[in-house]
Amino acid sequence: MRAVLLLPYAWLILFFLLPFAVVLAISLGTSSFESVPPFDLGFDLGNYRLLFGDDLYVAAWLSSLRIAATSTLLALMLGYPMAYAISRAAPRRRPLLLMLVILPFWTSFLIRVYAWMGLLAENGILNQFLRWSGVAESPGSIIGTEWAVHLGIVYAYLPFMVLPLYATLEKLDRSLLEAAADLGARPLEAFLTVTLPLSVPGIVAGCLLVFIPSIGEFVIPDLLGGTETLMIGKVLWDEFFTNADWPLASAVAIGLLALLVGPIVLFQRQQAPNPERHR
Amino acid sequence: MTGRARFAFSILAFGYAFLYLPIALVIVYSFNESRLVTVWAGFSTKWWSALLANDAMLSAAWLSLRIACVSATLAAVLGLAAGYVLARARFSGRALFGALVVAPMVMPEVVMGISLLLLFVGVDRFLFALDRGFLTIVVAHTTFSLAFVAIVVQARLADFDRSLEEAAMDLGATPWVTFRTITLPLIAPAVISGWLLAFTLSLDDLVLTQFVAGAQSQTLPMRVYSSVRLGVDPQINVLGTIVVAVAASALILSGWMTRRKT
């Protein structure tokens, strides 16, 4: 057993834990174009001061949080009814309905985001439709705005919302709803007082699964958001690849990690494979 | 239909339309005559032949497939070990280990990408010459996809009838023989679907790969990304259609593997 444990443990320490120590060390260094790689090690908190003092970075943190939170809420509003409807469908239909939710997750993320580029473009299908149907004479461009980023995030991460919600809703004890009905609760009342509170673990898991990856998202804001959308994942990317400021990019990474420690621990606490719980 | 059934139907119809309409358009426009992705100009397969003659894209696809095969296999072995330990063993560092296994799954890719690259740069600088490319990409992909295998394996082992293993032990089988002849065949569907998941994730990854790949190694998503950044490209629709077809087959296969077990 010890050998079986050692293999994945060593791998994860070497390639997951250790790298963060390296990032932390470099984030305290200073950027220098004379050295190769382009930084000098040291102990300098300047990068962190910039991160939480400079207007650009503060704005990037705030808009990342805002975009991720709004998108999570939108995904919940769309995902909850879907998960609910699937869990109430005939048992033999459920696997197919669920598979249809998972399938997009298996197809390329990049291609799915790309699909929206054609849909949302200035002369794209959505705008053509709006003009044709007379809803809007000259619809503005959607691509390049925060709207497009929200849409992209909801679209890309919807399966992550639906799956945990379905798992909780499906396990729900129906006799509780019958009891509520017997005691005179109308369906809506029963939903609000029984189903909704009991599905909170699913809501929390789904929201975290959408919120956590959208905070650090790079591809969606880059391809759909244009220049006006500021998100921290994109800032990190630009600092690293465009400005070649490795220490600052490392500090952004550590900041992002610090921001996500809470949600990630919460998620793991909830998902923790705890054998004691089964007894 | 009752009011509630109609509501359930329309919410599902809307949800699935939202999920599938963009994908359907990618497939339809892969047969478009026009260069513009937004204008329909008649049926044509010219973008299909263009993609099949696109050497840069094909060699990127070949590299991606090789990386996905190797990293999915490594992830399956490591994930199987991790999932097995998490489901069966009790040891003092179990909570830390459990967290460590799942964390790469939820870690933002930009953070993991930069951390692995800086590690590789450090190794290259201070320990030994490290060629960034195939190997570093495989290490990165294995690290984040082994979590998925571990979770599937662990879930399978959690609702597993242990009396079969006990019977084998009573009949004199060593732990290793028991594992090989009883446990492994019974959890094989989980390992295979974990492998498929790791394979797909590796094939699809852009951000992490962009960080750890050297200048010489261009994977398929990297090529797609650089082509898409320059504007919409009808060849990408063709590629998307192929990816959707492959993913659908893989999912059906994996669904069939999991169902066969229960």
Side-chain angles (χ1 to χ4, degrees), chain B residues 9-261:
Chain B
F9 179 79
S10 38
I11 196 79
L12 282 181
F14 177 75
Y16 288 122
F18 177 62
L19 283 175
Y20 285 96
L21 209 61
I23 297 176
L25 285 169
V26 164
I27 298 174
V28 168
Y29 277 90
S30 76
F31 295 104
N32 191 6
E33 170 73 36
S34 163
R35 176 158 190 95
L36 292 166
V37 183
T38 50
V39 182
W40 180 259
F43 182 89
S44 154
T45 52
K46 69 175 181 195
W47 303 116
W48 283 77
S49 20
L51 181 77
L52 294 178
N54 186 336
D55 284 336
M57 215 49 115
L58 288 183
S59 67
W62 176 234
L63 177 69
S64 276
L65 280 174
R66 275 165 32 221
I67 290 171
C69 268
V70 178
S71 64
T73 308
L74 272 172
V77 172
L78 292 167
L80 172 62
Y84 187 81
V85 168
L86 281 175
R88 289 292 159 81
R90 290 191 204 297
F91 51 98
S92 49
R94 196 180 173 285
L96 173 70
F97 180 67
L100 209 53
V101 169
V102 195
M105 215 169 80
V106 280
M107 194 59 59
E109 276 191 89
V110 279
V111 175
M112 226 176 124
I114 195 174
S115 71
L116 269 171
L117 172 58
L118 294 178
L119 175 82
F120 293 145
V121 169
V123 168
D124 193 40
R125 200 84 198 121
F126 300 108
L127 295 176
F128 50 85
L130 185 70
D131 206 12
R132 264 180 280 135
F134 188 88
L135 200 71
T136 52
I137 301 173
V138 162
V139 166
H141 288 189
T142 304
T143 307
F144 85 89
S145 53
L146 79 85
F148 292 86
V149 184
I151 285 173
V152 191
V153 166
Q154 198 204 352
R156 174 65 85 214
L157 281 171
D159 47 41
F160 176 94
D161 187 3
R162 294 198 71 170
S163 58
L164 291 166
E165 290 176 340
E166 280 154 19
M169 303 272 236
D170 286 346
L171 292 168
T174 61
W176 169 240
V177 169
T178 309
F179 177 78
R180 220 186 49 215
T181 55
I182 308 287
T183 319
L184 192 58
L186 283 172
I187 60 170
V191 180
I192 293 171
S193 60
W195 188 92
L196 279 172
L197 190 53
F199 182 83
T200 322
L201 289 167
S202 164
L203 215 52
D204 193 29
D205 181 79
L206 167 72
V207 175
L208 196 56
T209 316
Q210 192 89 307
F211 276 100
V212 298
Q216 296 305 308
S217 317
Q218 285 262 318
T219 62
L220 192 58
M222 286 165 79
R223 280 257 180 246
V224 171
Y225 175 69
S226 52
S227 139
V228 158
R229 284 209 77 178
L230 302 172
V232 265
D233 175 351
Q235 286 185 37
I236 303 301
N237 288 340
V238 176
L239 189 68
T241 306
I242 298 172
V243 169
V244 170
V246 173
S249 333
L251 191 65
I252 291 165
L253 185 72
S254 128
W256 178 72
M257 302 287 304
T258 352
R259 197 153 329 141
R260 211 178 45 160
K261 159 72 185 64

